[in-house]
DNA sequence: TCTGGGGTCCTAGGACCC
DNA sequence: TCTGGGGTCCTAGGACCC
């Protein structure tokens, strides 16, 4: 087991708020090829070999080691279409193992927190750090990088700039140029860097916007920086205008050290095989609803709205593509699994068309509220009944947390069926399941 | 046979109000 | 024969992110 060592008795370095600086210093720290690096962590013999990680259902490539990138294996490629090629090239293939990645992610964050408390966990493998006021950003960034490598075994890159957008670009530079050894601090005059940076790679500029920018002859990050913000706002949106300002060093996106409450919860999945049978679909939707309800309660929230979506495969040429969704508004915000299962069932009935081979279904919980703040309806159940329900839900959650998922479950959820996920290449949960760790050793 | 899942923010346009 | 103007709120859908 890996563990996070203490700081050898040294207090974490304090962020000095007293130093007023006109410009901020923001670092973006992210783990290189995160999923691939996690898999390699526990199989050191894979060092130097190309390795890819597959999406749920072993559908497509979602992460690649550097060696796999060098082989030209594209991100998002359908696994079944490049399977033979991967075999020929001796590429190691893994199904995604989110228990492992989530746990490693938490370890990286806990190390980062020893460098500054002013940190935003942006995604499973990226954090923004406010380093405003630190004197030698270059040395400090190297220190961060080396500490994470030593304590977790994961390689990270650190990019520093005055805004999040510039930090993102600096991070790309840190990765690109081996001489930088994983660290790049944006210089005072970044024009040279921005000139060579394609506008489509700027954070927040996607495919569609990049195309429209090109039509306006805005091809590089420098072109975008020099564009008139008001013109950009009129042509595009405030979001793109903000990018222009951020490139100029004006901070528009702040560091959110406290995660805001979640606005929606999604559980959606592709099936292992196509499903035509209504009851199997209902099983799947019920199970997803159950998961969504668990997530909801874990965060102390209640939902006012539930949506069920259903679709056939967009790649299937043998039938006309069908996608639809229906929603249900609760008379009073709820966290009650049976109530949600019932609602999901009535939604499914509305959108199910017989005779189609379905590929994916999803359940969304929306219009979320804090349990305490939730509005009661006029026809609200009496207080005693509400307390009974929430106690039941809490108990179910506790039993499942202690004894494993689905130890107690609602009728028809939790059985293995045609629709459960395909994961033929999964690595053990090294850091979160003793049982699986033992299997490795024996 | 087989092509992921889970989020956020913004905008346009409709419904509604006075 | 003629039928305003200004505002808010909500929702669906688009774009983007990892």
């Amino acid at each position: 087991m890996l563990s996070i060592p203490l700081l050898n008795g040294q207090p974490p370095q304090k962020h000095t708020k007293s130093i007023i600086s006109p410009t901020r210093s923001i670092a973006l720290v992210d783990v290189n090829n995160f999923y691939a690096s996690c898999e390699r962590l526990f199989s050191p013999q894979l060092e130097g070999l190309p390795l890819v990680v597959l999406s749920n259902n072993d559908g497509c490539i979602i992460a690649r080691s550097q060696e796999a990138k060098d082989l030209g294996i594209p991100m998002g490629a359908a696994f079944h279409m490049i399977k033979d090629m991967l075999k020929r090239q001796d590429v190691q293939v893994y199904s995604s193992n989110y228990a492992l990645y989530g746990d490693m992610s938490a370890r990286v964050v806990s190390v980062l927190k020893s460098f500054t408390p002013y940190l935003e966990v942006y995604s499973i493998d990226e954090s923004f750090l406010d380093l405003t006021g630190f004197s030698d950003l270059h040395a400090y960034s190297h220190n961060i990088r080396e500490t994470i490598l030593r304590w977790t075994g994961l390689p990270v890159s650190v990019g520093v700039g005055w805004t999040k957008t510039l930090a993102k670009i600096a991070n790309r530079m840190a990765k690109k140029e081996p001489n930088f050894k994983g660290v790049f601090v944006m210089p005072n005059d970044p024009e040279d860097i921005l000139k060579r940076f394609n506008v489509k790679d700027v954070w927040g500029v996607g495919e569609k916007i990049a195309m429209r920018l090109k039509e306006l002859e805005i091809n590089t990050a420098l072109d975008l920086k020099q564009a008139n913000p008001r013109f950009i706002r009129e042509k595009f949106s405030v979001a793109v205008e903000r990018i222009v300002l951020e490139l100029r060093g004006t901070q528009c996106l702040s560091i959110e050290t406290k995660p805001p409450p979640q606005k929606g919860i999604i559980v959606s999945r592709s099936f292992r095989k196509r499903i035509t049978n209504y009851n199997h679909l209902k099983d799947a939707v019920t199970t997803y609803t159950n998961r969504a309800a668990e997530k909801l309660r874990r965060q102390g929230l209640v939902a006012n709205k539930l949506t069920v979506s259903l679709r056939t495969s967009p790649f299937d040429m043998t039938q006309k593509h069908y996608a639809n969704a229906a929603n249900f508004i609760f008379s009073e915000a709820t966290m009650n699994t049976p109530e949600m299962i019932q609602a999901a069932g009535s939604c499914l009935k509305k959108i199910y068309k017989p005779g189609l081979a379905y590929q994916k279904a999803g359940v969304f919980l929306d219009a979320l509220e804090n349990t305490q703040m939730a509005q009661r309806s006029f026809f609200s159940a009496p207080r005693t009944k509400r307390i009974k329900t929430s106690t039941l839900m809490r108990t179910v959650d506790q039993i499942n947390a202690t004894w494993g998922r689905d130890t107690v479950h609602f009728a028809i959820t939790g059985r293995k069926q045609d629709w459960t996920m395909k994961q033929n290449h999964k690595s053990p949960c090294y850091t979160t399941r003793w049982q699986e760790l033992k299997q490795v050793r024996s």
Side-chain angles (χ1 to χ4, degrees):
Chain A
M1 287 281 282
L2 286 179
S3 64
I4 303 295
L6 295 169
L7 278 170
N8 303 326
Q10 288 177 3
Q13 281 191 259
K14 285 255 167 59
H15 175 92
T16 345
K17 271 284 173 187
S18 55
I19 297 178
I20 307 292
S21 161
T23 54
R24 312 197 70 83
S25 299
I26 293 176
L28 174 65
V29 180
D30 82 336
V31 183
N32 303 342
N33 315 316
F34 180 52
Y35 296 173
S37 299
C38 284
E39 294 295 347
R40 195 128 76 180
L41 212 44
F42 294 89
S43 308
Q45 74 277 12
L46 301 179
E47 201 62 47
L49 294 180
L51 182 159
V52 297
V53 177
L54 304 178
S55 67
N56 276 341
N57 249 333
D58 294 346
C60 57
I61 311 280
I62 55 165
R64 305 157 294 162
S65 71
Q66 190 55 50
E67 298 78 7
K69 287 179 185 172
D70 294 343
L71 283 176
I73 297 167
M75 185 73 165
F79 178 49
H80 72 97
M81 287 170 71
I82 61 167
K83 210 172 184 171
D84 295 338
M85 188 270 271
L86 296 180
K87 200 158 200 173
R88 272 201 309 279
Q89 308 264 26
D90 204 23
V91 177
Q92 309 298 306
V93 175
Y94 284 86
S95 301
S96 33
N97 182 347
Y98 289 104
L100 174 63
Y101 312 149
D103 187 57
M104 290 313 302
S105 174
R107 292 172 193 229
V108 171
V109 170
S110 92
V111 178
L112 286 176
K113 281 187 176 157
S114 67
F115 285 91
T116 172
Y118 299 101
L119 153 162
E120 172 184 341
V121 179
Y122 176 67
S123 76
I124 194 165
D125 70 329
E126 288 173 79
S127 291
F128 287 104
L129 277 61
D130 190 343
L131 299 184
T132 305
F134 284 90
S135 50
D136 190 345
L137 292 168
H138 204 261
Y140 201 61
S141 300
H142 274 291
N143 189 1
I144 292 174
R145 186 183 135 78
E146 279 147 28
T147 307
I148 293 178
L149 186 62
R150 207 171 328 122
W151 291 358
T152 70
L154 292 170
V156 300
S157 300
V158 186
V160 183
W162 314 304
T163 62
K164 281 180 163 180
T165 306
L166 290 169
K168 273 274 193 183
I169 293 175
N171 185 281
R172 287 285 287 260
M173 299 303 297
K175 283 211 177 64
K176 211 163 88 183
E177 185 55 61
N179 288 340
F180 296 155
K181 298 202 175 357
V183 169
F184 185 76
V185 179
M186 201 55 106
N188 282 332
D189 179 9
E191 291 221 342
D192 261 3
I193 308 289
L194 300 184
K195 197 158 59 187
R196 284 177 286 143
F197 203 84
N198 196 320
V199 76
K200 78 173 186 346
D201 296 325
V202 174
W203 189 43
V205 175
E207 202 185 341
K208 297 274 161 62
I209 288 172
M211 262 167 50
R212 286 168 56 202
L213 285 169
K214 294 242 151 116
E215 283 167 16
L216 299 168
E217 305 205 335
I218 296 173
N219 296 304
T220 67
L222 185 61
D223 294 339
L224 186 57
K225 177 188 171 184
Q226 290 169 344
N228 181 334
R230 295 214 358 225
F231 169 77
I232 293 293
R233 182 181 191 146
E234 279 161 30
K235 282 269 179 192
F236 298 88
S237 65
V238 288
V240 186
E241 182 192 25
R242 275 204 286 261
I243 297 172
V244 176
L245 296 174
E246 283 247 322
L247 287 171
R248 295 178 177 204
T250 305
Q251 203 188 20
C252 302
L253 308 166
S254 56
I255 295 200
E256 309 289 337
T257 50
K258 240 191 274 163
Q262 216 176 319
K263 305 212 163 133
I265 288 171
I266 302 180
V267 177
S268 77
R269 228 137 268 154
S270 305
F271 311 130
R272 180 203 306 260
K273 294 185 200 163
R274 302 286 180 254
I275 296 185
T276 50
N277 183 304
Y278 178 79
N279 287 325
H280 291 182
L281 276 179
K282 200 172 167 191
D283 275 11
V285 167
T286 304
T287 302
Y288 301 169
T289 306
N290 189 38
R291 288 277 171 270
E294 283 170 0
K295 285 192 196 180
L296 183 78
R297 291 194 294 267
R298 208 176 306 140
Q299 300 183 57
L301 299 171
V302 285
N304 281 292
K305 183 178 162 195
L306 178 148
T307 305
V308 174
S309 71
L310 192 63
R311 72 167 206 203
T312 60
S313 170
F315 300 99
D316 185 351
M317 295 303 156
T318 66
Q319 62 181 359
K320 194 162 181 282
H321 180 53
Y322 172 72
N324 206 350
N327 58 50
F328 187 95
I329 312 279
F330 297 104
S331 59
E332 183 178 310
T334 184
M335 56 159 177
N336 185 359
T337 300
E339 194 182 348
M340 290 190 226
I341 288 175
Q342 204 176 17
S346 77
C347 290
L348 179 63
K349 219 177 265 170
K350 279 188 215 154
I351 53 175
Y352 172 76
K353 281 211 269 186
L356 294 175
Y358 294 97
Q359 177 246 356
K360 184 176 182 177
V363 172
F364 312 79
L365 297 179
D366 216 347
L368 307 184
E369 289 176 282
N370 199 290
T371 313
Q372 266 70 40
M373 309 290 280
Q375 188 71 246
R376 295 269 143 70
S377 98
F378 184 68
F379 301 103
S380 183
R383 199 178 124 78
T384 46
K385 189 173 174 202
R386 282 204 313 270
I387 290 172
K388 246 186 186 167
T389 310
S390 70
T391 309
L392 172 64
M393 289 299 117
R394 232 190 352 258
T395 310
V396 168
D397 289 340
Q398 272 168 9
I399 292 172
N400 287 337
T402 311
W403 300 100
R405 191 176 263 191
D406 289 329
T407 302
V408 187
H409 57 82
F410 296 89
I412 90 171
T413 73
R415 291 186 312 220
K416 289 272 175 217
Q417 295 282 3
D418 285 352
W419 47 269
T420 53
M421 241 194 295
K422 182 160 76 183
Q423 292 188 300
N424 292 337
H425 309 271
K426 196 161 165 225
S427 56
C429 294
Y430 297 102
T431 61
T432 52
R433 290 192 186 197
W434 285 111
Q435 203 53 44
E436 297 194 7
L437 191 60
K438 284 183 202 150
Q439 280 164 13
V440 179
R441 303 187 57 183
S442 58

